[in-house]
Amino acid sequence: AQKVTQAQTEISVVEKEDVTLDCVYETRDTTYYLFWYKQPPSGELVFLIRRNSFDEQNEISGRYSWNFQKSTSSFNFTITASQVVDSAVYFCALSEWDDYKLSFGAGTTVTVRA
Amino acid sequence: NAGVTQTPKFQVLKTGQSMTLQCAQDMNHEYMSWYRQDPGMGLRLIHYSVGAGITDQGEVPNGYNVSRSTTEDFPLRLLSAAPSQTSVYFCASRFGRQGHYEQYFGPGTRLTVT
């Protein structure tokens, strides 16, 4: 069975600090996909990234970066030089190759204070 | 393309009332699903459909019914609302079954059952 764990419930930082969100997953499949979604206070879910299990390269997109390590089953997300607009709930999710289901972690609420 | 649309955005029901949450997509996606979001639990799959006329249960299906008479529409019915169904409901669609397809989410419906 697939499972995603986000151990950090809430993180509060001051603007311009870096913040790292942890995500640990479990799956028996060798082919799977990992996702991060952002949910701002307005409530919609915003897709941030998809990474397949065969691509362990780290990815950077602006102030966002992701560190995928299969050896520790982790897919961590770092926001560099955080801004108030980064305040949101962030979800990590996993989907196996031939499965309809997207399994979500419980989410981490990030609050960036000015 | 409007993407995935949901109505209503907000709803208050009394215990025992019934209602239908509407979901539609205009991307010709074969796969559609309903999730509920509760604090500290992430999003959990209620029901899903892999095409018109085909539906199946997710991890928390009790108290909900679905049908899929067209590719575009996937309504969620609450037969007799209970306070435990107070939640935010998201409809989602994607092109196919396999996990690499991006899931597109609607804006959500916030339901309160008193």
Side-chain angles (χ1 to χ4, degrees):
Chain A
Q2 56 200 42
K3 184 179 175 183
V4 177
T5 302
Q6 294 179 255
Q8 304 148 306
T9 305
E10 295 184 27
I11 300 175
S12 182
V13 297
V14 176
E15 212 170 14
K16 296 184 185 172
E17 285 185 352
D18 296 348
V19 56
T20 295
L21 285 62
D22 298 332
C23 173
V24 175
Y25 62 91
E26 294 176 30
T27 176
R28 288 184 220 155
D29 263 18
T30 56
T31 303
Y32 53 89
Y33 301 85
L34 296 162
F35 302 79
W36 276 95
Y37 287 85
K38 174 183 179 180
Q39 186 177 45
S42 51
E44 74 274 20
L45 286 161
V46 178
F47 167 80
L48 295 178
I49 189 172
R50 174 181 59 231
R51 176 52 51 91
N52 75 56
S53 54
F54 297 107
D55 183 1
E56 287 194 72
Q57 283 193 349
N58 291 335
E59 178 148 345
I60 298 175
S61 177
R63 296 183 297 105
Y64 294 171
S65 62
W66 291 268
N67 183 352
F68 176 31
Q69 292 195 331
K70 283 177 78 170
S71 60
T72 55
S73 297
S74 64
F75 186 44
N76 297 337
F77 171 33
T78 297
I79 304 172
T80 303
S82 60
Q83 300 176 0
V84 171
V85 293
D86 296 326
S87 296
V89 182
Y90 291 86
F91 292 100
C92 181
L94 176 144
S95 183
E96 293 170 345
W97 161 245
D98 191 30
D99 195 359
Y100 55 85
K101 182 180 170 183
L102 188 59
S103 293
F104 284 82
T108 299
T109 300
V110 173
T111 303
V112 182
R113 308 186 308 277
Chain B
N1 281 357
V4 180
T5 58
Q6 290 182 238
T7 56
K9 289 183 75 80
F10 302 94
Q11 183 71 50
V12 179
L13 289 179
K14 290 185 176 1
T15 297
Q17 286 184 319
S18 63
M19 81 157 295
T20 299
L21 279 60
Q22 301 292 344
C23 174
Q25 53 90 10
D26 61 359
M27 297 173 282
N28 202 32
H29 286 173
E30 62 176 26
Y31 174 71
M32 296 184 73
S33 53
W34 277 101
Y35 290 82
R36 59 177 289 173
Q37 180 184 3
D38 301 294
M41 304 191 75
L43 279 74
R44 293 179 293 167
L45 182 66
I46 305 171
H47 283 287
Y48 68 98
S49 169
V50 298
I54 307 169
T55 63
D56 207 344
Q57 298 180 349
E59 48 183 319
V60 288
N62 292 342
Y64 307 96
N65 274 0
V66 292
S67 60
R68 183 100 178 266
S69 56
T70 66
T71 301
E72 294 78 20
D73 300 300
F74 191 44
L76 179 72
R77 296 184 189 84
L78 283 71
L79 302 176
S80 179
S84 60
Q85 294 178 304
T86 293
S87 188
V88 180
Y89 291 85
F90 287 97
C91 180
S93 76
R94 72 185 195 201
F95 180 74
R97 173 185 175 91
Q98 283 73 27
H100 69 280
Y101 290 112
E102 183 183 337
Q103 192 116 236
Y104 294 80
F105 286 89
T109 294
R110 185 173 293 275
L111 175 68
T112 302
V113 183
T114 61

